[in-house]
Amino acid sequence: MNRTLPPHEIDAFGRELDALRQEVLDQRGQRDVDHIRSVVRTMRYAEAAGRLLLHVGIDPATFALGTGALGLAKILENMEIGHNVMHGQYDWTHDPELDGESYDWDMACAAHQWREYHNFEHHTFTNILGRDRDVGYGFLRVTSEQPWNPAHIIQPFVVVGLAFLFQWGIGAHALRLDETIAGRQSVAELWTRARPFLAKGARQLFKDYVFFPGLALVNAPRVALGNFIANGIRNVWAFAVIFCGHFPEGVRMYHEQETRDEPRGAWYLRQIHGSANIEGGRLFHVLSGHLSHQIEHHLFPDLPACRYPELAPRVRAICERYGQSYNTGRFRAQLTSVARQILENALPSRARPARMH
């Protein structure tokens, strides 16, 4: 149970977190650059090794090693590099390769569309029902505060499909297809949104299933299959990390009226109560793009993510002093909690109003 904070404590809470953010801004430098460059090098070595093993190998062992290395490269590129660079976490380096506005990642989602609906929409209106479209992505019921409809009965099966095709789900999320079905978006606007997604998706399909297999000549089927499995590995991993950071039990939803005229401290509280962390070691955090620290990411999305592990205990200590919950747990526990939420909310129940401060 979170303690209700009076306005002066909400302001003090916000000032403490502002001070933490400023401390990292004052300290960021070569250490952060060294980190992201080392991850970029590792990603490139893994991709080169994976593609070489898939192209020239002929036995199951090189296929397994090549597919695994390529899957690792895709995970590092999407999570620790792409996601964080596109958040602008390294814009201050003025390195064109780390520029958040021009970086384009190795997945089907068009980068500029993701920056619009994720960087702005999701991180501004976090967990506000009707404003944050990431709450169930327009077709899943992840909280009893969402209305139920008969289509939700099959959502446990839909979620499994989404996990394996996650990059396509992220890309299609920009289309706002549910708004066209509900009559709130014209077909012309849908087509305008669909063109960048279809163009990016076509380039990804050509690269993974025509270009690289074509280079392998007689090994083309092996390379295409390796690319397909590597994409699947990345998709399932990204799905698990993101769902554990947003939809386990204990994560709060909000109604728009309770966030009106929200001061900075209340905005911080919403980010903390609307997110969840996953506990693990350093490698786990890097592979998750440090989204295992989803709470710190939502508080400070523009700070280098490699700083989140050292910020986490200090954020948690501030929460404890102000009587605020801090949702964290091991990966299996958070994933089990998400599965329980998906199953329970597939069945009809009375929609509950969001809790007020």
Side-chain angles (χ1 to χ4, degrees):
M1 177 66 77
N2 295 307
R3 185 165 67 85
T4 301
L5 301 181
H8 74 279
E9 282 197 90
I10 291 176
D11 290 341
F13 184 81
R15 285 195 297 274
E16 292 205 40
L17 291 171
D18 279 340
L20 272 187
R21 179 175 182 275
Q22 189 59 51
E23 185 178 313
V24 175
L25 288 175
D26 293 340
Q27 292 176 351
R28 68 185 180 184
Q30 192 60 44
R31 171 186 154 195
D32 305 287
V33 174
D34 290 345
H35 166 77
I36 194 65
R37 290 201 185 288
S38 73
V39 176
V40 170
R41 282 196 300 274
T42 302
M43 180 273 293
R44 287 174 177 166
Y45 292 148
E47 181 179 8
R51 294 202 184 282
L52 183 65
L53 288 166
L54 286 173
H55 279 239
V56 302
I58 56 173
D59 58 290
T62 53
F63 178 79
L65 288 171
T67 301
L70 189 56
L72 171 64
K74 287 177 176 288
I75 286 172
L76 290 174
E77 196 283 329
N78 278 187
M79 305 295 278
E80 183 67 6
I81 303 169
H83 173 270
N84 294 334
V85 168
M86 288 161 63
H87 259 292
Q89 294 181 4
Y90 297 94
D91 285 359
W92 54 276
T93 65
H94 304 297
D95 182 337
E97 291 187 2
L98 302 177
D99 179 60
E101 285 300 311
S102 59
Y103 191 92
D104 195 3
W105 52 4
D106 179 24
M107 71 147 61
C109 180
H112 75 278
Q113 291 187 322
W114 182 84
R115 278 188 282 266
E116 176 189 340
Y117 79 70
H118 180 85
N119 282 7
F120 171 70
E121 194 173 277
H122 173 57
H123 277 273
T124 303
F125 306 111
T126 306
N127 285 26
I128 300 177
L129 295 168
R131 298 299 302 274
D132 180 4
R133 296 188 310 112
D134 280 21
V135 178
Y137 304 106
F139 59 93
L140 296 177
R141 186 174 186 245
V142 294
T143 169
S144 60
E145 290 158 21
Q146 293 173 283
W148 180 87
N149 69 61
H152 290 132
I153 291 176
I154 63 169
Q155 75 175 17
F157 305 101
V158 173
V159 163
V160 173
L162 176 64
F164 284 99
L165 299 171
F166 198 52
Q167 66 165 330
W168 299 99
I170 293 175
H173 190 46
L175 275 56
R176 298 175 180 266
L177 184 60
D178 58 315
E179 295 183 9
T180 297
I181 293 172
R184 301 195 302 273
Q185 175 180 252
S186 69
V187 173
E189 180 65 19
L190 173 65
W191 176 239
T192 299
R193 293 182 185 279
R195 280 184 295 185
F197 166 59
L198 295 175
K200 181 68 186 295
R203 288 199 298 273
Q204 292 297 109
L205 290 173
F206 176 80
K207 174 176 71 68
D208 286 337
Y209 304 113
V210 176
F211 178 72
F212 281 117
L215 293 178
L217 301 176
V218 295
N219 251 352
R222 170 186 160 105
V223 170
L225 180 60
N227 288 344
F228 178 77
I229 295 173
N231 282 324
I233 293 170
R234 181 271 320 279
N235 287 343
V236 171
W237 175 250
F239 163 88
V241 169
I242 291 169
F243 269 57
C244 285
H246 291 93
F247 305 131
E249 293 157 310
V251 168
R252 267 204 63 183
M253 299 296 160
Y254 293 77
H255 284 296
E256 190 169 8
Q257 64 268 24
E258 61 181 317
T259 64
R260 195 165 293 144
D261 300 322
E262 182 181 60
R264 180 72 170 169
W267 183 86
Y268 277 135
L269 284 170
R270 178 158 56 84
Q271 305 307 314
I272 291 169
H273 296 157
S275 309
N277 281 5
I278 314 168
E279 297 168 2
R282 183 172 184 274
L283 178 61
F284 179 86
H285 294 319
V286 172
L287 291 176
S288 76
H290 286 93
L291 293 178
S292 49
H293 292 88
Q294 193 68 240
I295 291 174
E296 286 68 33
H297 174 60
H298 264 270
L299 291 173
F300 314 117
D302 59 340
L303 295 183
C306 58
R307 299 280 186 158
Y308 295 158
E310 61 196 67
L311 286 170
R314 301 175 68 182
V315 171
R316 189 170 186 172
I318 293 172
C319 288
E320 288 174 357
R321 277 196 284 110
Y322 284 84
Q324 302 302 306
S325 60
Y326 185 93
N327 191 334
T328 185
R330 302 293 295 181
F331 184 49
R332 188 168 67 177
Q334 296 290 52
L335 195 58
T336 300
S337 178
V338 169
R340 198 158 42 233
Q341 289 281 84
I342 296 295
L343 290 170
E344 289 180 357
N345 287 295
L347 301 175
S349 61
R350 180 178 298 177
R352 294 189 315 224
R355 290 164 292 178
M356 307 294 283
H357 282 298

